[in-house]
Amino acid sequence: MNNKNLTVDAYLSKAKKWRREMEGLRTILLRCGLTEELKWGKPCYLFENSNIVIIQAFKEYVALGFFKGCLLNDSSKILIAPGVNSQTMRQIRFTNVKKIVAMEPTIKASVYEAVEVETAGLKVNIKKNTSLIFPEEFQKKLDGAPALKEAFESLSPGRQRGYNIYFSQPKQSKTREARVEKYMQQILNRKGLNDR
């Protein structure tokens, strides 16, 4: 495993939760011949400069996220969409090392299939949602700040949706307003909700 990335080593050394699980997934992914990088602050694995999978630690589980997971066969029925609005990403979720070890052949098969999907040049047909309805608090900011509107419109449709969902969730107007205020500079920097 000579293709370990030092930035991923540093990331894993600081992990307080799910470290053993992430290291187990890392070992499997490196055995699959993928290139390891740290992207979006997470261990990401590439084949010929194309993103294949990412390891993501959450509160309740650690996930192996397949960037084009919706195109995988998933005969084992283990892939889960991370959210109701997820169009491309699919995850396999883990809560212990035992499950990772037991699922190694299935994980490898899924990784190899994801590499085949990428090598074949398959594209995900993303449904464009041109009719985003923004909460009033955000719409006022967009209407009153041309630079903010231009920056927001320059974001990818997925990043726009992410902000819209996040801004729309709270029931109280003041909470929606606070969320919009908090992320205005992030939008002006042309970054998505979770980008660093």
Side-chain angles (χ1 to χ4, degrees):
M1 281 192 282
N2 56 357
N3 49 352
K4 282 186 176 183
N5 185 303
L6 295 178
T7 58
V8 175
D9 285 338
Y11 170 84
L12 292 173
S13 72
K14 294 175 187 167
K16 293 185 172 121
K17 190 171 184 182
W18 306 118
R19 181 175 177 176
R20 289 181 53 232
E21 289 78 6
M22 289 190 288
E23 287 173 345
L25 289 170
R26 177 191 202 192
T27 299
I28 293 169
L29 297 172
L30 290 174
R31 285 182 189 152
C32 291
L34 300 177
T35 302
E36 180 177 70
E37 290 185 13
L38 196 69
K39 287 188 168 189
W40 307 285
K42 309 282 184 246
C44 186
Y45 298 82
L46 297 79
F47 180 77
E48 296 181 357
N49 294 320
S50 293
N51 297 327
I52 303 296
V53 294
I54 189 165
I55 298 173
Q56 301 167 294
F58 294 95
K59 185 177 178 181
E60 302 294 327
Y61 57 86
V62 66
L64 185 61
F66 290 83
F67 288 94
K68 292 186 180 177
C70 66
L71 298 177
L72 301 182
N73 182 16
D74 192 24
S75 57
S76 301
K77 304 290 181 226
I78 55 171
L79 296 175
I80 301 165
V84 293
N85 296 298
S86 299
Q87 293 188 46
T88 60
M89 177 73 76
R90 296 295 181 269
Q91 298 175 335
I92 305 174
R93 297 176 179 173
F94 303 96
T95 55
N96 60 62
V97 175
K98 250 191 210 177
K99 185 176 177 185
I100 293 169
V101 171
M103 289 186 65
E104 182 171 352
T106 306
I107 295 168
K108 283 183 173 179
S110 297
V111 168
Y112 293 138
E113 184 182 358
V115 169
E116 287 174 17
V117 163
E118 196 58 47
T119 305
L122 299 180
K123 302 282 183 209
V124 177
N125 185 14
I126 303 226
K127 297 175 201 153
K128 299 222 183 226
N129 185 355
T130 55
S131 60
L132 289 179
I133 299 169
F134 302 121
E136 181 182 339
E137 297 79 5
F138 186 49
Q139 189 62 57
K140 282 182 181 177
K141 292 288 185 189
L142 291 173
D143 294 342
L148 180 67
K149 184 173 184 173
E150 192 240 319
F152 183 76
E153 288 174 352
S154 75
L155 295 173
S156 68
R159 285 184 172 88
Q160 290 179 12
R161 261 192 327 276
Y163 276 119
N164 194 44
I165 291 166
Y166 183 71
F167 293 157
S168 300
Q169 286 173 337
K171 292 179 181 173
Q172 293 186 11
S173 177
K174 69 178 187 176
T175 307
R176 289 191 299 271
E177 180 77 32
R179 285 187 177 189
V180 170
E181 287 291 332
K182 181 178 178 183
Y183 283 95
M184 281 178 58
Q185 189 59 52
Q186 182 100 339
I187 293 169
L188 287 167
N189 292 340
R190 290 174 162 67
K191 293 186 175 185
L193 187 67
N194 299 311
D195 294 345
R196 291 181 182 211

